[in-house]
Amino acid sequence: MSGKPDKVRVAVVFGGRSAEHSISCVSAGSVMAALDPERYEVVPVGIATDGRWVLADPDQRLAITDGKLPEVVGGTAVSLVGDPAGRGLAVLEPSAAVGPALTEVDVVFPVLHGAYGEDGTIQGLLEMAGLPYVGSGVFASAASMDKEFTKKLLAAAGLPQGEHVVLRDAAGAVSADPALLDDAARERLGLPVFVKPARAGSSIGITRVTDWAQFPAAVAEAAAVDPKVLVEAAVPGREIECGVLAGPDGRPQASLPAEIRLRPGVDWYDFAAKYLDDAADFDIPAALSPGQTEAVQEAARRAYLALDCRGLARVDFFLGTAPDGSDRLVINEVNTMPGFTPISMFARMWAATGVDFADLVDRLVTGALDGGSRAAR
Ligand SMILES: Nc1ncnc2c1ncn2[C@@H]1O[C@H](COP(=O)(O)OP(=O)(O)O)[C@@H](O)[C@H]1O
Ligand SMILES: [Mg+2]
């Protein structure tokens, strides 16, 4: 792994300990393939499901092959050097192929979704190590991962939120009081409600509850993922997404929005609808009036700023109708490291806006190098 000083060394970190391990591997495979080999040298760093860091085989096929999801399996064990002077990775098992020397890294692209990746934890590690990285910092990552605090910060910025209740220590609460919510709260929320783990993704642990009799089981299921559980009133409306990318000046730019149209009989965008079935149609761009498009883009940029995001984000909305007949736009959530393959919504929205996949990856890496990590600034 001799350094080529003329090329920028990008460590692409993928896999990880969250339920979205395989999705991350697929995203990383696409990112690595899109990095121009003339300008970038890729250091593929896999995190196994048990948390071990390994130098991955650069030729491993990180894609869904014959319906099988990719996974980080083995490789030379490495560790991030906490001392900023180290600037990169230490090889833990020196061998003939990989010497004991540090693998220097110029910039890190953490293509990780969910816990220990999109939630501020790896961002903190990279800050400590003094390495610049793609995407949001510690605070924005943690705040966007936590649906309670996302709502608080968006509301403080004047971006409307649906009715919701936060249950703390929900697992304990289920056994203490199977009713969980008083009548007034139930009245206010109405049915259906969405019961969700506060910090999760890919619809894992979420139940759409149509009868209060299902409620304790739904809370228990969410609490198995995260002890903090949100109970949200169902927000009627179309599901709209919008990509945000930092411009050369660091200011957020919004893509053309897209719409996820669930097929008849599909009530909501659950895990199966997202990854397994042909459950949805995607309109990219969404069929919206120019005014609606502008309103979505403006709200997406404001959400990015409200959460102090950096680099990129995907902002997800419900577009419904207010009692007076006007549009009602509610932000559902903000993803700081959205699914990142050429067929992911984020990439397709930017392609429709005129930024192709290789440009997207290049803009993010260049932006991270220009901005540097907080520690390096
Ligand atoms: N309050 C809500 N009203 C209506 N539909 C909802 C609501 N919350 C979630 N959903 C449905 O559930 C899906 C997943 O919820 P979301 O909060 O986006 O979780 P995740 O972070 O796992 O993607 C949404 O895409 C939407 O289809
Ligand atoms: Mg979502």
Side-chain angles (χ1 to χ4, degrees):
M1 311 281 304
S2 67
K4 296 195 187 80
D6 52 327
K7 289 191 190 178
V8 174
R9 300 194 95 196
V10 186
V12 176
V13 183
F14 60 93
R17 290 159 69 183
S18 84
E20 293 161 286
H21 179 98
S22 294
I23 309 299
S24 159
C25 293
V26 178
S27 295
S30 312
V31 168
M32 290 192 276
L35 281 165
D36 177 3
E38 293 293 309
R39 294 166 48 219
Y40 297 111
E41 184 182 338
V42 175
V43 181
V45 180
I47 302 180
T49 49
D50 63 3
R52 278 176 311 121
W53 287 45
V54 297
L55 275 185
D57 174 359
D59 299 323
Q60 186 191 347
R61 212 178 119 67
L62 291 167
I64 301 175
T65 315
D66 300 331
K68 203 176 163 293
L69 293 166
E71 191 182 319
V72 174
V73 275
T76 304
V78 291
S79 137
L80 192 70
V81 180
D83 174 359
R87 285 203 67 80
L89 300 160
V91 177
L92 299 180
E93 301 156 358
S95 65
V98 189
L102 292 179
T103 295
E104 282 210 10
V105 164
D106 296 306
V107 58
V108 178
F109 197 147
V111 192
L112 294 162
H113 308 306
Y116 306 107
E118 205 178 341
D119 61 353
T121 52
I122 192 172
Q123 289 76 13
L125 201 60
L126 295 168
E127 293 288 348
M128 295 295 287
L131 287 174
Y133 54 92
V134 171
S136 283
V138 174
F139 176 78
S141 300
S144 304
M145 187 75 208
D146 186 314
K147 291 183 163 76
E148 175 190 11
F149 287 98
T150 303
K151 288 183 195 303
K152 286 204 160 97
L153 290 167
L154 294 179
L159 293 158
Q161 294 298 302
E163 289 283 354
H164 63 278
V165 170
V166 179
L167 302 177
R168 285 171 218 289
D169 189 18
V174 187
S175 46
D177 174 14
L180 285 175
L181 285 184
D182 62 22
D183 288 346
R186 292 182 186 212
E187 185 83 8
R188 187 160 55 83
L189 293 166
L191 283 172
V193 288
F194 283 81
V195 178
K196 315 180 173 178
R199 290 154 291 203
S202 289
S203 299
I204 291 159
I206 302 183
T207 308
R208 177 176 179 268
V209 168
T210 54
D211 179 334
W212 288 112
Q214 304 164 341
F215 184 63
V219 173
E221 195 175 323
V225 179
D226 188 330
K228 182 165 72 174
V229 168
L230 267 73
V231 185
E232 295 183 13
V235 180
R238 298 161 67 184
E239 283 204 47
I240 304 287
E241 303 193 341
C242 185
V244 182
L245 195 57
D249 57 358
R251 304 278 306 160
Q253 299 175 347
S255 72
L256 287 171
E259 176 168 9
I260 296 159
R261 276 189 299 111
L262 300 174
R263 302 245 169 105
V266 181
D267 288 325
W268 63 287
Y269 203 30
D270 64 2
F271 185 87
K274 281 180 177 169
Y275 299 115
L276 306 174
D277 298 334
D278 271 341
D281 294 302
F282 305 102
D283 292 340
I284 306 163
L288 298 173
S289 70
Q292 287 173 321
T293 296
E294 180 45 46
V296 168
Q297 290 177 324
E298 171 67 14
R301 287 189 297 262
R302 283 176 60 199
Y304 175 101
L305 292 172
L307 287 159
D308 209 12
C309 292
R310 193 170 64 201
L312 75 164
R314 196 191 73 217
V315 183
D316 298 350
F317 297 87
F318 299 114
L319 176 61
T321 308
D324 67 1
S326 63
D327 282 342
R328 176 173 181 248
L329 190 59
V330 174
I331 296 178
N332 177 35
E333 62 161 344
V334 176
N335 296 284
T336 51
M337 190 53 71
F340 210 101
T341 70
I343 60 159
S344 297
M345 290 297 258
F346 185 79
R348 290 169 70 188
M349 289 190 286
W350 278 109
T353 315
V355 182
D356 74 19
F357 193 73
D359 279 350
L360 202 57
V361 171
D362 193 54
R363 269 177 69 163
L364 289 169
V365 174
T366 308
L369 280 166
D370 289 349
S373 73
R374 186 172 16 170
R377 272 202 291 271

